[in-house]
Amino acid sequence: MARSHSSRIIKYHFGLRVKSEKIQLPPKVEWLFPYSVAETRNVMTQFYDKYYGDFNPRKLIFGINPGRLGAGITGVPFTDPVRLQVECGIENSFPQKRELSAEFIYSIVHKYGGLEKFYTEFYISSVCPLGFVKEGINFNYYDDKNLQQSVRQFIVENISNQIKLVNGNREIAFCLGEGKNFAFFEKLNEEHNFFGKIIPLPHPRWIMQYKRKSLDQYLDLYLQRLV
C-alpha cells in the first residue's frame, strides 16, 4: 500500500541527521536539528497526519532554512509554538514564543481560506531543510560562501526529494525571499529543471520588520501570486 504524504514527510525529515553528519560546516556554524527532540517529533507527526494524510498533489513554497523560533522548535515551517497550539489545535509544552514570519504566514493562510484549504493545496518547505546557528543566532545557508558550497549538493537533493514527498506541481513553485534565496534557487533550477517557473515573494520577516505599515498591500500581493 502506498504511503500518504504525511508518512513520507516525517520519515524524510527524521532521517536528515544521517545525511547532515557527512557535511563539514565552517567554524562556529552549527546545524539546527530539532527532530531529535521527542516532543518535536510528536507534534510534527500530529501536524502532518492532520493536514497531509492524503495523496493529493501540492504546489510547493520554499523558505530559506528553518529558524530557531519557528521550525527550529516545532519542526513545522513558519509555525511557532503559539500557532501550533492556537491555530492548528496541537497542544505543546514549548515556550509560547511568537515568530514574526509565522504571524505573516498564518495571516495568508486565513485570507486564502483557512488551514484545511491552504494546506490541501500548498506544502511549505525550505531550500535547505535544516537551519543553522552561529554563536547562538540564526544563520542562513547563503550568509557564508563556504557554507553555501558545503551544503549545495545537500540542497539539490532536498529540492528533488521535497517534490517527491507531496507529488509536487512541477510547473510552478514559490520562493520566499526575492534576493539571495531566490537568486540561488533560480540558478539551481536552471541547472536541474526542478520547476517550469519559480515565482519570488517578499520574505515574511522582511515584511514584518520593515514594511508592517503596508501589511495589507503585501498580503494582497501574496494572494495574487499564489492563486
Side-chain angles (χ1 to χ4, degrees):
M1 180 181 294
R3 292 181 298 170
S4 68
H5 296 332
S6 175
S7 60
R8 290 188 293 183
I9 292 168
I10 292 297
K11 182 178 180 180
Y12 174 75
H13 287 88
F14 289 179
L16 283 173
R17 180 181 287 280
V18 174
K19 297 180 181 180
S20 67
E21 288 175 345
K22 301 175 183 177
I23 301 172
Q24 183 69 39
L25 301 182
K28 299 183 180 180
V29 178
E30 301 176 17
W31 290 106
L32 182 62
F33 190 84
Y35 311 122
S36 58
V37 178
E39 184 165 15
T40 299
R41 295 167 71 94
N42 179 40
V43 298
M44 279 183 71
T45 300
Q46 290 185 61
F47 177 88
Y48 287 108
D49 281 351
K50 185 172 185 176
Y51 297 110
Y52 292 87
D54 57 58
F55 304 91
N56 301 324
R58 268 38 173 218
K59 291 179 182 177
L60 278 73
I61 301 173
F62 288 88
I64 302 168
N65 43 240
R68 291 177 302 121
L69 300 180
I73 296 175
T74 66
V76 180
F78 294 94
T79 303
D80 58 27
V82 174
R83 269 82 194 180
L84 189 66
Q85 185 152 318
V86 176
E87 303 279 5
C88 306
I90 298 174
E91 294 186 6
N92 64 88
S93 61
F94 298 125
Q96 296 297 295
K97 294 183 178 180
R98 298 175 181 270
E99 198 227 7
L100 288 176
S101 294
E103 181 180 342
F104 180 84
I105 288 297
Y106 274 84
S107 294
I108 289 294
V109 168
H110 285 294
K111 278 186 168 291
Y112 193 81
L115 277 71
E116 293 286 348
K117 178 175 172 56
F118 183 86
Y119 287 127
T120 296
E121 298 183 24
F122 294 97
Y123 171 64
I124 303 180
S125 181
S126 299
V127 169
C128 186
L130 295 178
F132 308 92
V133 290
K134 184 175 183 180
E135 299 179 332
I137 63 173
N138 283 336
F139 201 69
N140 295 321
Y141 73 85
Y142 54 66
D143 286 336
D144 181 294
K145 290 184 178 180
N146 291 327
L147 173 61
Q148 182 174 297
Q149 187 58 36
S150 295
V151 299
R152 193 178 196 278
Q153 185 56 35
F154 182 55
I155 286 173
V156 168
E157 293 173 1
N158 174 64
I159 295 170
S160 179
N161 284 323
Q162 296 293 343
I163 295 169
K164 295 174 184 176
L165 291 178
V166 293
N167 189 21
N169 185 314
R170 297 291 297 272
E171 295 180 8
I172 191 171
F174 301 90
C175 176
L176 302 184
E178 299 175 300
K180 294 180 179 179
N181 194 41
F182 176 64
F184 184 72
F185 192 7
E186 180 85 325
K187 184 176 181 180
L188 289 185
N189 193 54
E190 290 174 359
E191 296 174 10
H192 298 278
N193 297 308
F194 296 121
F195 303 100
K197 184 178 182 180
I198 298 175
I199 297 178
L201 292 162
H203 196 277
R205 175 166 285 279
W206 178 81
I207 295 170
M208 298 300 283
Q209 280 188 308
Y210 304 110
K211 299 293 182 179
R212 194 154 191 160
K213 291 182 179 179
S214 303
L215 180 59
D216 288 342
Q217 176 183 333
Y218 283 99
L219 291 171
D220 289 341
L221 174 66
Y222 260 66
L223 291 176
Q224 289 168 10
R225 292 186 181 177
L226 289 175
V227 171

